[in-house]
Amino acid sequence: MQHSANAAPAVAPQKSPKASSGTKHFLKMLMKQRTLVLMSVPFVIWLFIFRYLPVWGWTLAFQDYRPGRSFSEQEWVGFKHFAFLFQDDAFYRVMRNTFAMSFINLILGFVLAITLAVLLNELKNIVFKRVVQTISYMPYFLSWVVAASIIMVALSPEEGIVNQVLVGLGIIDKPILWLGEASYFWGIFAASETWKNLGWNTIVYLAAITMIDPAQYEAADIDGANRLQKIWHITLPGMKPVIIVLLILNIGQVLETGFEAQYLLKNPANMDFAETLELFVLRWGINFGNYSFATAAGIFKTVISFSLLFAANSLAKRMGQERLF
Amino acid sequence: MASHRKGALRPSTGDRIFDICNVLFMLFLVTITLYPMLNQLALSLNDANDSIRGGIHLWPREFTWNNYAYVFDQATIYHATLISILRTVIGTCLTVFCSAMVAYTISKPEFVLRKFVTLAFVLTLYFNGGLIPTFLLIRDLNLLNSFWVYIVPGLIGVFNLIVIRSFIQGLPDGILESAKIDGAGEFTTFIRIVLPLTVPALATISLFAAVYQWNSWFDVFLFNSSSVDLSTLQYELVKILQNSNSASSGKSAADAFANSDSSNFVSPIAVRATMTIVASLPIMMVYPFLQKYFVKGMTVGGVKG
């Protein structure tokens, strides 16, 4: 490999791209840069196999897929599976759960992370601030398995610290079986997400705050502004561009909230509020082996994600933000 | 950075109240972040029978290493730990090396395929085949029940490419040029010059790749759940959780796992706590030292991505 590289002094090209005839020139360049080609093209092939090829699998949704048959032998059924999907009550429940948890996640993620970033920025003792930051990043690095284990212990009726504290404070009379009551699930999910990701989400906002010109704060001091006024009139407006960009990016990703927390914390008792679209796909596809129906549900999710992405993008344009794609 | 100093002005009472509340709030935050972990740590170091009495909070009442001895005595868990370490090491090395290599090629303006390669990768941000087609692909590629299913499908992430490429583009031009004058080829330049110079970016990528590999459990469940030999630590913990979750309450279960062969009884609570600590300790010990890198990496990725 190194030999071929020696033969290719990659500094030379660029000179006259237009002069030689297109394809010939291109092939010549390709030969010259063959080391670079060897360093990247195998990975494009890898990318094609593992990222692009699965999209071909969407055809499953329009067939009655039977394993063991070749593609041409599969029976085509048009939109049958989609029709089934829309008649299934479970599907609507799952969609409700997916949207509800995604939006709770989105809103809480923003509001709390911005608040925490602002408060961290107001800390005067730098060492204390560092320590708080480092600790707040910790749960992000834990796996959802570990987090779920911790959450289940914290919520357990006998041992759980949550019940102990709430009973101790007299807020509830007797311990609650938190994970056994379906209607609590969204709240538990939101709290878990917050516990795990809040600190991590502040990183970008803290970076945005450091970009604010300190002269603004000095001017405000001279005008006799207090802390809250400075936060409201300087810090928050200064973070606005970053907030908008992230909000738009996240709207497009809103259904990609993951499913690990739901998968690990769900049980037969809270299933009605815990099951998301991803888990629905998993249940029908992997557990019941109905690949076609499960793929149809998966495609539906992609379609919604895409519409949200385009909506977010046009919103971005209207608000004068450039470039998402 | 944000030095809004008070100058000669004395802090007002309102300011002081604000500061006190703020510090109290931060202490509250630190407590609810750390307490659950420290509680598990205390439980894992406390005598298993004693733990059943309850009341263990931050400190073990009857200190013992027995729970750890018991857990690692289980052949499955011992083996799963090895697999976890193996996939973390191999996966991280390969991801970092391959990502850096591709990132280097697309950082070179004169590379004829630069736009094509970049676009091919960036496009994948906007779609994915979904669970079932991916599962069937892995099956058709004969990767089910194999170790490589942990490594190959997630080899290169677009985020990694963006971080490393921006870093390479930020290097002073002269350095890469001088290597070329000495007659070094692209691959040699990459190995000898680019890799050492991009260490800060590679540290970020390594951390994320290692965390991803160490924490993964879903690919074990989906692709390898029928081969016990390939189970990982996280997946063993999942099995324990599922056992206790299917029972009516959080505590009474997981007996299937913590078999009570009278002589060496270890309670489910203790086993679970010990597994939780084992599954999270390696990362807990590493991430604080890489903070500088991942914060920078996040900021770059956040702005350019």
Side-chain angles (χ1 to χ4, degrees):
Chain A
M1 223 193 230
Q2 296 188 8
H3 277 287
S4 58
N6 285 339
V11 208
Q14 291 283 336
K15 251 194 322 193
S16 52
K18 273 183 213 156
S20 53
S21 67
T23 336
K24 221 176 174 184
H25 174 73
F26 177 75
L27 288 174
K28 219 172 88 190
M29 291 290 291
L30 219 51
M31 273 309 283
K32 256 187 172 170
Q33 301 180 343
R34 60 185 172 274
T35 319
L36 287 176
V37 172
L38 280 173
M39 285 165 76
S40 57
V41 169
F43 297 101
V44 177
I45 296 170
W46 165 85
L47 187 76
F48 178 77
I49 295 173
F50 285 96
R51 296 286 180 274
Y52 287 84
L53 211 52
V55 177
W56 174 250
W58 286 5
T59 51
L60 283 180
F62 305 96
Q63 302 169 337
D64 265 340
Y65 176 80
R66 300 265 163 75
R69 284 192 194 172
S70 78
F71 182 74
S72 55
E73 289 165 347
Q74 302 291 353
E75 189 189 337
W76 291 88
V77 295
F79 285 90
K80 181 181 112 180
H81 295 297
F82 290 93
F84 264 135
L85 203 58
F86 295 124
Q87 284 160 17
D88 190 350
D89 285 343
F91 175 70
Y92 290 103
R93 200 171 59 228
V94 160
M95 284 312 293
R96 177 201 66 187
N97 294 343
T98 310
F99 272 107
M101 282 188 261
S102 302
F103 279 99
I104 292 172
N105 211 0
L106 182 75
I107 303 300
L108 274 186
F110 266 89
V111 175
L112 297 181
I114 292 167
T115 313
L116 181 60
V118 169
L119 291 179
L120 277 169
N121 184 57
E122 295 294 327
L123 287 177
K124 285 181 187 138
N125 186 327
I126 299 300
V127 178
F128 182 67
K129 181 181 164 192
R130 281 270 168 73
V131 172
V132 173
Q133 274 179 281
T134 305
I135 292 173
S136 76
Y137 299 153
M138 190 240 344
Y140 175 82
F141 290 101
L142 299 174
S143 69
W144 264 115
V145 185
V146 168
S149 168
I150 287 172
I151 290 158
M152 282 157 68
V153 171
L155 293 177
S156 96
E158 295 93 347
E159 287 291 291
I161 186 75
V162 174
N163 278 319
Q164 286 177 9
V165 169
L166 291 180
V167 171
L169 291 176
I171 297 173
I172 53 177
D173 317 327
K174 55 180 199 307
I176 293 177
L177 185 58
W178 292 101
L179 286 166
E181 179 65 54
S183 54
Y184 294 151
F185 193 86
W186 293 352
I188 292 169
F189 171 76
S192 312
E193 275 281 345
T194 305
W195 182 77
K196 199 166 181 307
N197 294 331
L198 175 60
W200 183 257
N201 289 338
T202 59
I203 292 181
V204 181
Y205 300 114
L206 281 168
I209 292 176
T210 58
M211 309 285 260
I212 298 171
D213 184 0
Q216 291 193 47
Y217 291 103
E218 279 155 26
D221 280 334
I222 292 165
D223 292 344
N226 67 25
R227 291 285 269 289
L228 290 177
Q229 284 170 328
K230 279 185 281 186
I231 291 173
W232 191 253
H233 293 289
I234 301 174
T235 314
L236 286 175
M239 295 161 79
K240 204 175 131 197
V242 171
I243 295 175
I244 290 176
V245 168
L246 283 177
L247 190 61
I248 289 165
L249 278 174
N250 282 330
I251 288 175
Q253 297 282 317
V254 79
L255 292 187
E256 312 289 335
T257 34
F259 52 91
E260 295 186 61
Q262 291 93 337
Y263 183 88
L264 294 164
L265 293 172
K266 77 174 174 7
N267 59 42
N270 61 25
M271 190 73 167
D272 278 357
F273 282 78
E275 195 178 32
T276 61
L277 195 51
E278 206 85 35
L279 296 185
F280 183 80
V281 171
L282 191 68
R283 187 156 63 92
W284 279 97
I286 305 297
N287 295 4
F288 302 157
N290 194 338
Y291 296 133
S292 292
F293 182 66
T295 308
I299 291 178
F300 186 73
K301 184 189 139 195
T302 308
V303 170
I304 294 187
S305 279
F306 243 91
S307 330
L308 286 172
L309 191 68
F310 276 100
N313 197 45
S314 71
L315 193 71
K317 271 193 198 127
R318 196 151 344 135
M319 296 181 79
Q321 300 284 337
E322 11 86 73
R323 173 189 65 93
L324 280 184
F325 54 86
Chain B
M1 256 288 170
S3 61
H4 38 288
R5 60 173 65 97
K6 296 279 159 307
L9 297 166
R10 287 211 353 260
S12 68
T13 336
D15 268 0
R16 223 172 291 147
I17 292 172
F18 179 92
D19 280 331
I20 292 169
C21 290
N22 199 7
V23 169
L24 287 178
F25 172 75
M26 292 300 165
L27 290 175
F28 169 73
L29 191 79
V30 166
T31 310
I32 56 172
T33 308
L34 284 183
Y35 176 82
M37 277 312 277
L38 293 176
N39 178 239
Q40 296 285 294
L41 187 64
L43 278 172
S44 76
L45 291 170
N46 193 54
D47 181 72
N49 285 313
D50 181 64
S51 296
I52 299 174
R53 281 169 46 210
I56 304 290
H57 290 287
L58 291 173
W59 209 252
R61 196 161 43 208
E62 288 183 35
F63 182 87
T64 174
W65 288 108
N66 279 348
N67 300 324
Y68 288 90
Y70 172 82
V71 161
F72 282 109
D73 246 12
Q74 311 286 309
T76 19
I77 296 193
Y78 182 73
H79 193 76
T81 310
L82 288 184
I83 297 286
S84 282
I85 294 173
L86 211 58
R87 74 174 285 182
T88 304
V89 172
I90 297 178
T92 306
C93 293
L94 282 177
T95 294
V96 169
F97 184 79
C98 298
S99 307
M101 197 150 80
V102 176
Y104 172 61
T105 65
I106 59 172
S107 73
K108 297 189 77 71
E110 70 268 23
F111 180 37
V112 279
L113 296 179
R114 185 176 64 96
K115 285 226 170 94
F116 166 71
V117 175
T118 313
L119 190 68
F121 273 96
V122 170
L123 272 183
T124 60
L125 283 176
Y126 298 107
F127 66 88
N128 72 68
L131 186 73
I132 302 301
T134 306
F135 174 77
L136 294 177
L137 174 79
I138 298 288
R139 191 195 61 184
D140 293 344
L141 291 171
N142 271 325
L143 281 171
L144 286 189
N145 298 312
S146 80
F147 178 75
W148 293 103
V149 80
Y150 299 148
I151 313 284
V152 178
L155 192 60
I156 298 182
V158 180
F159 171 79
N160 296 352
L161 288 186
I162 292 170
V163 170
I164 305 177
R165 191 194 59 178
S166 337
F167 193 89
I168 295 178
Q169 285 172 341
L171 290 174
D173 292 340
I175 299 180
L176 298 185
E177 295 306 319
S178 65
K180 253 171 242 141
I181 294 162
D182 295 343
E186 294 292 0
F187 192 69
T188 321
T189 312
F190 168 66
I191 298 283
R192 298 246 184 93
I193 316 279
V194 178
L195 281 187
L197 283 175
T198 46
V199 163
L202 301 187
T204 312
I205 303 305
S206 305
L207 176 71
F208 288 127
V211 169
Y212 165 78
Q213 287 290 352
W214 181 261
N215 282 346
S216 289
W217 59 274
F218 190 68
D219 49 7
V220 190
F221 162 72
L222 194 58
F223 303 127
N224 286 348
S225 51
S226 54
S227 49
V228 187
D229 276 358
L230 293 168
S231 184
T232 63
L233 206 49
Q234 302 287 343
Y235 190 56
E236 289 304 311
L237 185 54
V238 172
K239 285 193 215 161
I240 295 178
L241 294 189
Q242 304 267 291
N243 274 336
S244 59
N245 209 358
S246 55
S248 56
S249 92
K251 179 185 157 194
S252 65
D255 311 86
F257 182 80
N259 56 337
S260 45
D261 56 16
S262 57
S263 61
N264 186 15
F265 173 77
V266 168
S267 73
I269 313 173
V271 168
R272 203 161 113 179
T274 311
M275 286 287 284
T276 304
I277 295 301
V278 172
S280 48
L281 206 61
I283 293 174
M284 295 304 95
M285 292 189 332
V286 174
Y287 92 88
F289 302 101
L290 289 167
Q291 185 163 334
K292 187 177 75 185
Y293 297 124
F294 68 69
V295 168
K296 198 172 267 174
M298 273 308 288
T299 323
V300 170
V303 173
K304 307 236 168 166

